[in-house]
Amino acid sequence: SSTVPACAYSPDPFTSSTSSDEENSDDDDIVEPIDEQEIYDLIAPITDPEHPLTLGSLSVVNLPDIHLTPLFPPSSSSTSPPITVLTVYITPTITHCSLATVIGLGVRVRLEQALPSRFRVDVRIKEGTHSTAEQVNKQLGDKERVAAALENGTLMGVLRKMLKGCEGT
Amino acid sequence: MTTSSTAGPVSITLLSSLAEPSLHHTWLTAAHPTQPLVATCSSDKCVRVYSLKTSSHLSTINGGHKRSIRTCAWKPGLKGENVIATGSFDATVGIWRRWDNDLSLRRSDVKMSEEDFTGANGNGNTDEDDDDEWRFAIVLEGHESEVKSVSWSAGGNLLATCSRDKSVWIWEEMGDDDYETVAVLQEHEGDVKCVSWHPEELLLASSSYDDDIRLWREDVDDWGCVSILRGHESTVWAVEWEGVKSTAQGTSSTENPGIRLASCSDDQTIRIWRKIPKEKGPPQSKLSIIRSGSIEEEWVEDSQLPRAHVRSIYSIGWSKNTGRIVSTGGDGKIVVYIEDQGSWSVLAENDGAHGVSEINHVCWAHMGDNREVIVSTAEDGSVKVWAI
């Protein structure tokens, strides 16, 4: 009950209960191409924690700032799994926005819940758009902190509200 | 055993997957110091104990923590009883006890032939009975936020714990289930990710989100930082000591002057640090009045392992038997490195060891017959046993 609404069409990597390794990797082997526009459509309806406007309408998330790259170069060994690195640069509305971390966390959580586990989601502050970008980036990149945040009831309440607009996507 | 230049590629071969795994985000698997047992801790607030010989689930610790169990460690040096310390995101540390005599693998079974898998007889029935047999002994409270790592000293009387609250605590067992705080070390400037006791000396290493590693020793009756190891460019996820070579076996102690520590980081490097031995013997500062500087030690970055990972490196294990290092991380690779005359090379790699899952932890473990295996723990809950 502490999870964000299941607005996902694919398993949530944090809570999904895959019945076996084999089944899991079979699922993941079916690599359906997902493009930047689809990623944008997943995160644009997230609402700002302070007002009822979406991150898309506020231009916090922008299509040109979404990048998909394979983790292993195509030339690497045939046993390398098809892991995709997804980097999303967010643009806070003001350079000292204290909620940048929460917004970034919302984007990361939304993507991790919506995308198959072969995606590695990196959410970062777009260069030059925030006074403490480095600190925010480090927090958002720390999987242990993110996992602990997802067990924090107060924070989950905020995230649930932000992701409400994603329902039925 | 450790031939320096292997002609063909060495492979990391899957021996088994432990059953039944947690279906949740799983953090770490701790190897028993002497028996072929491992304990896996998970975000479902349980620790599952498995037999490496049968790859089957033996018992479960549950009901003690309110949030993810991030870490656990077996207390060393015990006979007849097993003790596990657990560290949780709920900011507490639990101590758990269980009599050894009802584990399906006893000392006598360890000597049985490798092919004999009957050691776990009645395994299907005993599971449920065993469930209740981990007894909660005590909860250690003091940390203000998530506990990230716990480590028992070689003698087993000291327990180090660390947390997102930036502190390292050292607890001493004064009697049965009576623990006293002997130090609260607050010099790190970020989450302390890992603590690890040296295998012989009372020397503690801690690594942090502040990109530093700190070494701690007791001086007179206060614990203090004796060295800061700087070089990593991001969070240092884990630290692991080199095993102590027994001089009784005729190996020259001059081969490896100075004790060594390995560290792995979000900066995708693994570094080896070495103590520069002092000219004179170790300082006996017991009578010294001048404290400042007297306990400082000089440590240098000895070498870096070849770069083999393309995401954060979460975990490393340094084999006490072979001196090999194993690493894993966000790219889902397991890599084994070998040292030859001070220079390290990659001995073997396995891409996608748990499919597309991130791998959160890796360690060396004993099968009980001198055979050493690698145990890897993935984000998706799976735990796999590998031979090299």
Side-chain angles (χ1 to χ4, degrees), chain A residues 134 138, chain B residues 208-212 230-236 265-269 271 273 301 304 307:
Chain A
E134 241 177 81
K138 195 167 186 179
Chain B
S208 168
Y209 187 81
D210 69 10
D211 309 351
D212 291 344
R230 292 206 163 110
H232 280 297
E233 287 159 17
S234 189
T235 301
V236 187
S265 164
D266 182 57
D267 71 9
Q268 301 171 15
T269 67
R271 298 172 198 235
W273 309 84
E301 187 182 305
Q304 281 191 31
R307 287 196 184 225

Side-chain angles (χ1 to χ4, degrees), chain B residues 188-232:
Chain B
H188 275 298
E189 287 161 15
D191 311 17
V192 188
K193 297 294 194 185
C194 182
V195 279
S196 177
W197 285 103
H198 186 271
E200 255 180 16
E201 298 180 26
L202 279 183
L203 170 62
L204 180 70
S206 61
S207 69
S208 168
Y209 187 81
D210 69 10
D211 309 351
D212 291 344
I213 299 159
R214 284 176 181 263
L215 303 179
W216 313 86
R217 281 189 205 264
E218 191 174 23
D219 179 42
V220 192
D221 50 7
D222 268 337
W223 285 82
C225 182
V226 295
S227 200
I228 304 173
L229 315 187
R230 292 206 163 110
H232 280 297

Side-chain angles (χ1 to χ4, degrees), chain B residues 105-143:
Chain B
L105 281 155
R106 292 183 211 164
R107 199 166 296 272
S108 56
D109 291 321
V110 170
K111 290 178 186 145
M112 292 165 85
S113 79
E114 227 176 275
E115 286 70 39
D116 190 346
F117 290 106
T118 57
N121 49 354
N123 153 35
N125 293 331
T126 51
D127 269 5
E128 276 189 8
D129 297 337
D130 286 350
D131 270 354
D132 296 328
E133 292 177 16
W134 279 98
R135 309 183 310 282
F136 170 72
I138 188 170
V139 60
L140 305 180
E141 288 176 316
H143 281 297

Side-chain angles (χ1 to χ4, degrees), chain B residues 66-103:
Chain B
K66 296 186 190 81
R67 290 175 61 185
S68 267
I69 300 180
R70 171 66 183 87
T71 185
C72 66
W74 299 84
K75 185 174 176 179
L78 295 174
K79 276 187 183 147
E81 190 180 27
N82 281 312
V83 171
I84 287 179
T86 53
S88 165
F89 281 175
D90 69 12
T92 69
V93 173
I95 308 285
W96 308 80
R97 300 175 166 277
R98 187 175 191 267
W99 298 115
D100 197 17
N101 56 9
D102 53 8
L103 288 180

Side-chain angles (χ1 to χ4, degrees), chain A residues 61-102:
Chain A
V61 295
N62 302 286
L63 185 57
D65 296 328
I66 296 171
H67 305 278
L68 290 163
T69 46
L71 177 62
F72 297 110
S75 58
S76 61
S77 79
S78 57
T79 56
S80 301
I83 298 174
T84 302
V85 179
L86 163 58
T87 313
V88 178
Y89 292 95
I90 60 172
T91 308
T93 48
I94 36 174
T95 55
H96 53 273
C97 177
S98 60
L99 290 168
T101 312
V102 179

Side-chain angles (χ1 to χ4, degrees), chain A residues 14 16 18 21 24 28 71-72 77 80-81 117-118 120 122 138-139 142-145 147-148 151, chain B residues 23 25 67-68 70 146 148 191 193 209 211 235 237 311 314 330 351 356-358 360 379 382 384:
Chain A
F14 283 101
S16 67
T18 45
D21 278 344
N24 191 24
D28 288 320
L71 177 62
F72 297 110
S77 79
S80 301
S117 49
R118 66 186 165 85
R120 297 288 186 273
D122 289 339
K138 195 167 186 179
Q139 288 217 50
D142 185 317
K143 71 179 289 181
E144 194 178 50
R145 280 180 167 229
E151 295 184 12
Chain B
L23 299 174
H25 189 117
R67 290 175 61 185
S68 267
R70 171 66 183 87
E146 298 95 78
K148 306 273 172 113
D191 311 17
K193 297 294 194 185
Y209 187 81
D211 309 351
T235 301
W237 282 109
R311 298 284 285 177
Y314 293 132
D351 290 358
V356 296
S357 181
E358 288 197 74
N360 288 332
E379 179 93 357
S382 57
K384 293 184 180 181

